[in-house]
Short mmCIF file of all heavy atoms in Angstrom, two decimals:
data_model
loop_
_atom_site.label_atom_id
_atom_site.label_comp_id
_atom_site.label_asym_id
_atom_site.label_seq_id
_atom_site.Cartn_x
_atom_site.Cartn_y
_atom_site.Cartn_z
N ARG A 1 93.37 108.35 102.06
CA ARG A 1 93.18 108.47 100.61
C ARG A 1 94.29 107.70 99.90
O ARG A 1 95.40 107.59 100.39
CB ARG A 1 93.27 109.92 100.17
CG ARG A 1 92.13 110.78 100.59
CD ARG A 1 92.24 112.18 99.99
NE ARG A 1 91.13 113.00 100.37
CZ ARG A 1 91.09 113.75 101.46
NH1 ARG A 1 92.11 113.78 102.28
NH2 ARG A 1 90.03 114.48 101.74
N LEU A 2 93.97 107.24 98.71
CA LEU A 2 94.97 106.68 97.82
C LEU A 2 95.33 107.78 96.83
O LEU A 2 94.45 108.46 96.31
CB LEU A 2 94.39 105.46 97.08
CG LEU A 2 95.34 104.68 96.19
CD1 LEU A 2 96.45 104.04 97.03
CD2 LEU A 2 94.58 103.62 95.42
N ALA A 3 96.62 107.98 96.59
CA ALA A 3 97.05 108.99 95.62
C ALA A 3 96.39 108.71 94.27
O ALA A 3 96.16 107.54 93.92
CB ALA A 3 98.57 108.98 95.48
N PRO A 4 96.08 109.74 93.48
CA PRO A 4 95.39 109.53 92.20
C PRO A 4 96.11 108.56 91.27
O PRO A 4 95.47 107.88 90.48
CB PRO A 4 95.34 110.93 91.59
CG PRO A 4 95.41 111.86 92.75
CD PRO A 4 96.27 111.16 93.78
N ASP A 5 97.43 108.48 91.37
CA ASP A 5 98.17 107.55 90.52
C ASP A 5 98.48 106.23 91.23
O ASP A 5 99.15 105.37 90.68
CB ASP A 5 99.47 108.20 90.02
CG ASP A 5 100.43 108.54 91.15
OD1 ASP A 5 100.07 108.35 92.33
OD2 ASP A 5 101.55 108.98 90.84
N GLY A 6 98.00 106.07 92.46
CA GLY A 6 98.21 104.84 93.21
C GLY A 6 99.60 104.68 93.79
O GLY A 6 99.95 103.60 94.26
N SER A 7 100.37 105.75 93.79
CA SER A 7 101.77 105.65 94.22
C SER A 7 101.96 105.66 95.73
O SER A 7 103.02 105.27 96.22
CB SER A 7 102.58 106.81 93.62
OG SER A 7 102.07 108.04 94.11
N GLU A 8 100.94 106.10 96.49
CA GLU A 8 101.08 106.14 97.94
C GLU A 8 99.71 106.21 98.60
O GLU A 8 98.71 106.60 97.99
CB GLU A 8 101.91 107.34 98.38
CG GLU A 8 101.32 108.68 98.03
CD GLU A 8 102.26 109.85 98.27
OE1 GLU A 8 103.48 109.64 98.37
OE2 GLU A 8 101.77 110.98 98.37
N VAL A 9 99.68 105.79 99.86
CA VAL A 9 98.51 105.94 100.72
C VAL A 9 98.76 107.19 101.55
O VAL A 9 99.80 107.33 102.17
CB VAL A 9 98.32 104.71 101.62
CG1 VAL A 9 97.23 104.96 102.65
CG2 VAL A 9 98.01 103.48 100.79
N ARG A 10 97.81 108.11 101.54
CA ARG A 10 97.96 109.39 102.24
C ARG A 10 97.01 109.43 103.42
O ARG A 10 95.81 109.22 103.27
CB ARG A 10 97.67 110.55 101.31
CG ARG A 10 98.62 110.60 100.13
CD ARG A 10 98.21 111.67 99.17
NE ARG A 10 99.13 111.71 98.03
CZ ARG A 10 98.92 112.40 96.94
NH1 ARG A 10 97.82 113.13 96.82
NH2 ARG A 10 99.79 112.37 95.95
N ILE A 11 97.56 109.74 104.59
CA ILE A 11 96.74 109.88 105.79
C ILE A 11 96.96 111.29 106.33
O ILE A 11 98.08 111.68 106.63
CB ILE A 11 97.10 108.86 106.87
CG1 ILE A 11 96.91 107.44 106.33
CG2 ILE A 11 96.23 109.08 108.11
CD1 ILE A 11 97.30 106.36 107.29
N THR A 12 95.87 112.05 106.40
CA THR A 12 95.90 113.36 107.04
C THR A 12 95.42 113.14 108.46
O THR A 12 94.42 112.46 108.68
CB THR A 12 94.98 114.34 106.31
OG1 THR A 12 95.39 114.42 104.95
CG2 THR A 12 95.04 115.72 106.94
N MET A 13 96.16 113.70 109.42
CA MET A 13 95.84 113.43 110.81
C MET A 13 95.91 114.70 111.65
O MET A 13 96.67 115.61 111.33
CB MET A 13 96.77 112.36 111.36
CG MET A 13 98.23 112.63 111.15
SD MET A 13 99.31 111.23 111.46
CE MET A 13 99.25 111.12 113.21
N PRO A 14 95.11 114.75 112.73
CA PRO A 14 95.18 115.89 113.63
C PRO A 14 96.53 115.92 114.36
O PRO A 14 97.22 114.90 114.45
CB PRO A 14 94.05 115.64 114.62
CG PRO A 14 93.28 114.49 114.13
CD PRO A 14 94.10 113.79 113.13
N ALA A 15 96.88 117.05 114.90
CA ALA A 15 98.14 117.20 115.62
C ALA A 15 98.23 116.26 116.82
O ALA A 15 99.31 115.80 117.17
CB ALA A 15 98.33 118.64 116.05
N TRP A 16 97.10 115.95 117.44
CA TRP A 16 97.11 115.13 118.65
C TRP A 16 97.17 113.63 118.38
O TRP A 16 97.41 112.85 119.28
CB TRP A 16 95.88 115.44 119.51
CG TRP A 16 94.59 115.37 118.75
CD1 TRP A 16 93.91 116.41 118.22
CD2 TRP A 16 93.83 114.20 118.42
NE1 TRP A 16 92.78 115.99 117.58
CE2 TRP A 16 92.70 114.62 117.70
CE3 TRP A 16 93.98 112.85 118.67
CZ2 TRP A 16 91.74 113.73 117.22
CZ3 TRP A 16 93.02 111.96 118.19
CH2 TRP A 16 91.92 112.42 117.48
N ALA A 17 96.95 113.20 117.13
CA ALA A 17 96.90 111.76 116.82
C ALA A 17 98.29 111.14 116.83
O ALA A 17 99.29 111.80 116.55
CB ALA A 17 96.23 111.56 115.46
N GLU A 18 98.34 109.86 117.12
CA GLU A 18 99.59 109.10 117.14
C GLU A 18 99.84 108.48 115.77
O GLU A 18 98.90 107.96 115.14
CB GLU A 18 99.52 108.00 118.19
CG GLU A 18 99.28 108.54 119.57
CD GLU A 18 100.46 108.28 120.48
OE1 GLU A 18 101.42 107.64 120.05
OE2 GLU A 18 100.39 108.74 121.63
N GLY A 19 101.08 108.50 115.33
CA GLY A 19 101.44 107.91 114.04
C GLY A 19 101.11 106.44 113.96
O GLY A 19 100.64 105.96 112.93
N ARG A 20 101.35 105.70 115.03
CA ARG A 20 101.07 104.26 115.01
C ARG A 20 99.58 103.97 114.85
O ARG A 20 99.20 102.99 114.24
CB ARG A 20 101.66 103.56 116.23
CG ARG A 20 101.03 103.93 117.53
CD ARG A 20 101.65 103.12 118.69
NE ARG A 20 100.99 103.42 119.92
CZ ARG A 20 101.41 104.32 120.79
NH1 ARG A 20 102.52 104.98 120.56
NH2 ARG A 20 100.74 104.55 121.90
N GLU A 21 98.73 104.86 115.38
CA GLU A 21 97.28 104.70 115.20
C GLU A 21 96.91 104.91 113.73
O GLU A 21 96.06 104.19 113.19
CB GLU A 21 96.52 105.71 116.05
CG GLU A 21 96.60 105.49 117.53
CD GLU A 21 95.91 106.59 118.32
OE1 GLU A 21 95.17 107.39 117.72
OE2 GLU A 21 96.14 106.65 119.53
N ALA A 22 97.52 105.89 113.11
CA ALA A 22 97.24 106.17 111.70
C ALA A 22 97.68 105.00 110.82
O ALA A 22 96.96 104.61 109.89
CB ALA A 22 97.94 107.45 111.27
N ILE A 23 98.84 104.43 111.12
CA ILE A 23 99.33 103.29 110.34
C ILE A 23 98.42 102.08 110.54
O ILE A 23 98.07 101.38 109.58
CB ILE A 23 100.79 102.99 110.71
CG1 ILE A 23 101.67 104.13 110.21
CG2 ILE A 23 101.23 101.65 110.13
CD1 ILE A 23 103.08 104.10 110.74
N ALA A 24 98.00 101.84 111.77
CA ALA A 24 97.07 100.74 112.05
C ALA A 24 95.75 100.95 111.31
O ALA A 24 95.16 100.00 110.79
CB ALA A 24 96.84 100.62 113.55
N PHE A 25 95.29 102.20 111.25
CA PHE A 25 94.07 102.55 110.52
C PHE A 25 94.21 102.17 109.05
O PHE A 25 93.31 101.56 108.46
CB PHE A 25 93.79 104.04 110.69
CG PHE A 25 92.58 104.55 109.98
CD1 PHE A 25 91.31 104.07 110.26
CD2 PHE A 25 92.70 105.55 109.02
CE1 PHE A 25 90.19 104.57 109.60
CE2 PHE A 25 91.59 106.04 108.36
CZ PHE A 25 90.33 105.55 108.65
N ALA A 26 95.33 102.51 108.44
CA ALA A 26 95.56 102.17 107.02
C ALA A 26 95.56 100.66 106.82
O ALA A 26 94.93 100.15 105.88
CB ALA A 26 96.87 102.77 106.54
N HIS A 27 96.23 99.93 107.69
CA HIS A 27 96.28 98.47 107.56
C HIS A 27 94.90 97.85 107.76
O HIS A 27 94.58 96.86 107.10
CB HIS A 27 97.31 97.89 108.52
CG HIS A 27 98.72 98.10 108.08
ND1 HIS A 27 99.33 97.33 107.10
CD2 HIS A 27 99.65 99.00 108.46
CE1 HIS A 27 100.56 97.75 106.91
NE2 HIS A 27 100.79 98.77 107.72
N SER A 28 94.09 98.44 108.63
CA SER A 28 92.74 97.90 108.86
C SER A 28 91.84 98.12 107.64
O SER A 28 90.83 97.43 107.49
CB SER A 28 92.11 98.51 110.10
OG SER A 28 91.74 99.86 109.88
N ARG A 29 92.18 99.09 106.80
CA ARG A 29 91.40 99.39 105.59
C ARG A 29 92.11 98.89 104.33
O ARG A 29 91.85 99.36 103.23
CB ARG A 29 91.17 100.91 105.46
CG ARG A 29 90.47 101.55 106.63
CD ARG A 29 89.05 101.05 106.79
NE ARG A 29 88.27 101.83 107.72
CZ ARG A 29 88.18 101.61 109.02
NH1 ARG A 29 88.86 100.63 109.55
NH2 ARG A 29 87.42 102.35 109.79
#
């Protein structure tokens, strides 16, 4: 999600997910 004011990209992730995967996901989108 993009914060309503555009100040940050927010990624909610499961406990088992890797941070680098989440960051790569954001960059791919």
Side-chain angles (χ1 to χ4, degrees):
R1 290 185 179 90
L2 185 64
D5 63 356
S7 63
E8 62 189 19
V9 172
R10 299 174 180 169
I11 301 177
T12 302
M13 52 193 288
W16 52 262
E18 300 245 356
R20 67 177 183 265
E21 292 176 13
I23 291 168
F25 179 61
H27 285 282
S28 72
R29 302 295 192 271

